[in-house]
Amino acid sequence: MKLVCRCDAGLPPLDAVGGPYVLGSARLGCGPDESPPADSPRQMITAPLLGSAHAVAQEVWLTDEACRAGEFAGIRFRRNAHVLFGVLEIDEQAFADGPSGQPLQQAAAEAYRRIFRLLDAEGLPQLWRAWNYLADINQVTNGLERYRQFNIGRHDAFLAVNRAAVGNVPAACAIGLRRGALSIAFLAGRTPAQPLENPRQISAYHYPVDYGPRSPTFSRALLVALPGQESLFISGTASIVGHRTVHVGDIGGQCREALNNIAAVVGEANRLSSGVAYSPAELSYRVYLRQADDFPIARAVLDDAVGKAGGIVFVEADICRSDLLVEIEATAVHSLPIA
Ligand code: 3EB
């Protein structure tokens, strides 16, 4: 079984790639009125690309075993015997402000409860990776930042279905867009993954309450074993040491610190993986920048550290702490010798 992610800038005939081997996709830089395809889950990310000759980029998850499509509680998904990719959008306006929390908190809780119900029903219960996008992530309503509202809902959902909210939790990112419903894409499978933490950082699920009443529910990275293959999913990574933001106001410093953190996580991957070592130069990166003006410096730092060859997509979007200017996520796939 193989799982690969193909990223193409521009408008390639990716629907031509289509067919049974597509698990799902993400489209970055699309307009708010574009619709996803009917037969395949696709996360529509309306954040502008930066420094790209093309308006949109598309990441397609492909496998070498035929997939089938399904729909469950508003979740569009495709799966084969080993993996499942799904996309869910929930409009928080469907929830009333009330004792069970503000609308975004309720939407997040409902979204994750549905995801867990789907995964249990499909017999692919391990949530490996989640991509979370929400509007106005740093906006404060009724005294609480929206990212923190999201964290309460997400955390509650894990506990509601008796899932651990520490330790074996998915790799993730949580990113702010200008508008739109809460959008969650996810990759799940049959077997538990190996979670990785970063020795330079406190685990996010142990952040002190200064960062919100409920800690964020994600691992710094996950190693996922599939037959003949191992994948490394590195969560959104920022300029945080311990639990504190460092290099406030300094985009170059934040980019270098985020890359130091990624290097530390890669070190952990290499300590715990039994396969061939990972290197930062081989990773595929998604770089979120709060300010488009920061692109030239971010590009230069990334090129310097990673090399130009690797796939790097730069996106203008908000980060979950208002003092963070950049967040970087990364992925790699290794073939393993078949035992
Ligand atoms: C951080 O390290 C930066 O809430 O799912 C990174 C990755 C961050 C995932 C999430 C948040 C999340 O705390 C923010």
Side-chain angles (χ1 to χ4, degrees), residues 103-312:
L104 176 61
Q105 174 189 328
Q106 295 182 54
E110 175 65 17
Y112 274 89
R113 284 194 304 261
R114 285 189 204 171
I115 290 169
F116 294 139
R117 266 194 280 135
L118 164 70
L119 298 184
D120 288 340
E122 293 291 324
L124 298 169
Q126 301 292 328
L127 181 58
W128 290 333
R129 177 61 162 103
W131 292 262
N132 303 289
Y133 295 88
L134 49 139
D136 302 316
I137 194 167
N138 302 126
Q139 192 189 319
V140 175
T141 61
N142 292 337
L144 195 63
E145 188 185 42
R146 282 168 53 79
Y147 173 58
R148 300 176 180 203
Q149 300 173 27
F150 167 80
N151 275 327
I152 301 173
R154 174 172 57 176
H155 185 270
D156 283 353
F158 277 75
L159 297 187
V161 299
N162 294 315
R163 287 181 177 242
V166 302
N168 180 22
V169 290
C173 56
I175 293 295
L177 302 179
R178 286 184 202 143
R179 63 181 81 80
L182 172 62
S183 170
I184 304 174
F186 56 97
L187 198 58
R190 197 179 298 286
T191 52
Q194 166 70 59
L196 307 175
E197 290 301 304
N198 179 347
R200 307 179 76 237
Q201 298 182 311
I202 291 179
S203 296
Y205 45 75
H206 288 147
Y207 280 165
V209 289
D210 319 28
Y211 301 98
R214 291 290 178 279
S215 313
T217 312
F218 69 95
S219 293
R220 296 301 180 186
L222 235 55
L223 279 171
V224 170
L226 288 164
Q229 180 182 298
E230 185 184 73
S231 303
L232 172 63
F233 296 102
I234 300 181
S235 292
T237 304
S239 180
I240 294 173
V241 177
H243 58 74
R244 290 201 170 79
T245 301
V246 293
H247 312 292
V248 172
D250 169 10
I251 182 63
Q254 290 205 11
C255 287
R256 280 185 289 272
E257 202 68 68
L259 289 167
N260 288 342
N261 281 327
I262 287 179
V265 169
V266 168
E268 283 297 285
N270 291 337
R271 191 170 67 79
L272 290 161
S273 166
S274 45
V276 177
Y278 293 90
S279 81
E282 67 167 308
L283 302 174
S284 304
Y285 293 87
R286 209 186 270 180
V287 180
Y288 301 98
L289 295 176
R290 182 183 294 280
Q291 302 169 167
D293 290 353
D294 287 340
F295 171 72
I297 292 176
R299 167 102 253 175
V301 174
L302 266 288
D303 283 352
D304 202 37
V306 178
K308 268 197 159 95
I312 310 179

Side-chain angles (χ1 to χ4, degrees), residues 8-12 26-31 34 45-58 313-316:
D8 290 288
L11 290 161
R27 188 169 175 86
L28 295 131
C30 51
E34 263 186 73
I45 303 166
T46 57
L49 300 188
L50 296 169
S52 166
H54 304 280
V56 298
Q58 199 154 283
V313 178
F314 289 88
V315 184
E316 182 185 349

